[in-house]
Amino acid sequence: MVDDHGVDALVRQWTQERSNDAEAEEISRIASTWLAEGPTTVSSPGIPGQRSKGGAKSWVAVQSADPVYLDAMRRRLPDVPLELLSAAAGYWQMVGGLAEAEQWWDAGISPLDQRALDYRAAGLVPSDLSRRLGPLTVLEHLRRGSAPAWCVARLQRQRKDGVA
C-alpha cells in the first residue's frame, strides 16, 4: 500500500472488527434463513428509474460503486475487504474520475484515506504533493499534521512570488 501507517492500521482494525463479530454472523445467518423461507415472487425494492425492461414488477440491482473503480482498486489492494473498497470507490466516484483517484494514489495518498478528499476540497491537486515548501514536500507537511489550507496558501504565495 502507500507509506501511510494510519491507512494500514485503519484497514487492519476494520478487518478485525468485522471478521470476529459473532453477533453479526448470527444476524446474517438468521436473515439468510428468513429470506430463504420467504416467497420467491417478491421483487427487490427500487425506484422507477431502476426498473429493467421487464415491466413494473422487475427491478435492476443498484451497485454502490462502479465496477471499473472496484476492479482498479482491487488490482492495487488485493488484500482489502470488498466492503471497504466499495465504500472508498463510491466516494471517489462521487467527486472525481478514476484517473484522478489513481493520480492521488501515485502521488502518495491512498483512495482509502478519506483525507485525500479533504485535500482535494482545499484546492490541492496530486501534482502539488511533491512540491517543496521549505525543507519538506507538501505531502510530508500534510502527514505531519499541517492544514491543507495552509499548504494551499503557501503554494499560492510561492507562485505569486515566482519561486515555483
Side-chain angles (χ1 to χ4, degrees):
M1 211 195 260
V2 180
D3 287 338
D4 192 343
H5 302 294
V7 173
D8 291 337
L10 178 65
V11 169
R12 278 193 301 277
Q13 176 187 353
W14 191 90
T15 303
Q16 182 184 16
E17 286 175 357
R18 279 146 187 83
S19 65
N20 297 330
D21 190 9
E23 184 178 350
E25 290 175 11
E26 179 69 10
I27 290 170
S28 178
R29 186 189 62 74
I30 292 170
S32 297
T33 304
W34 181 75
L35 290 172
E37 293 172 355
T40 56
T41 58
V42 177
S43 65
S44 300
I47 57 175
Q50 297 168 333
R51 291 185 183 141
S52 66
K53 295 177 184 169
K57 294 236 177 191
S58 57
W59 304 91
V60 175
V62 176
Q63 295 180 342
S64 61
D66 186 344
V68 174
Y69 280 75
L70 286 175
D71 290 341
M73 294 180 94
R74 193 174 297 131
R75 277 193 306 274
R76 291 189 181 213
L77 298 168
D79 297 332
V80 175
L82 181 61
E83 292 174 16
L84 186 56
L85 286 179
S86 180
Y91 286 119
W92 279 103
Q93 183 177 325
M94 286 188 289
V95 299
L98 177 59
E100 182 183 0
E102 288 181 334
Q103 288 172 356
W104 281 98
W105 211 328
D106 294 339
I109 299 289
S110 170
L112 296 177
D113 187 346
Q114 295 302 301
R115 293 176 296 184
L117 298 175
D118 296 335
Y119 303 158
R120 184 184 185 279
L124 291 171
V125 295
S127 61
D128 289 336
L129 299 180
S130 61
R131 301 215 18 229
R132 297 198 80 71
L133 295 175
L136 302 174
T137 64
V138 171
L139 181 58
E140 291 168 333
H141 277 287
L142 293 169
R143 286 193 175 151
R144 289 180 177 211
S146 296
W150 178 85
C151 293
V152 169
R154 290 281 312 266
L155 287 170
Q156 287 175 345
R157 196 167 107 209
Q158 277 185 352
R159 288 182 189 119
K160 183 179 136 192
D161 293 344
V163 175

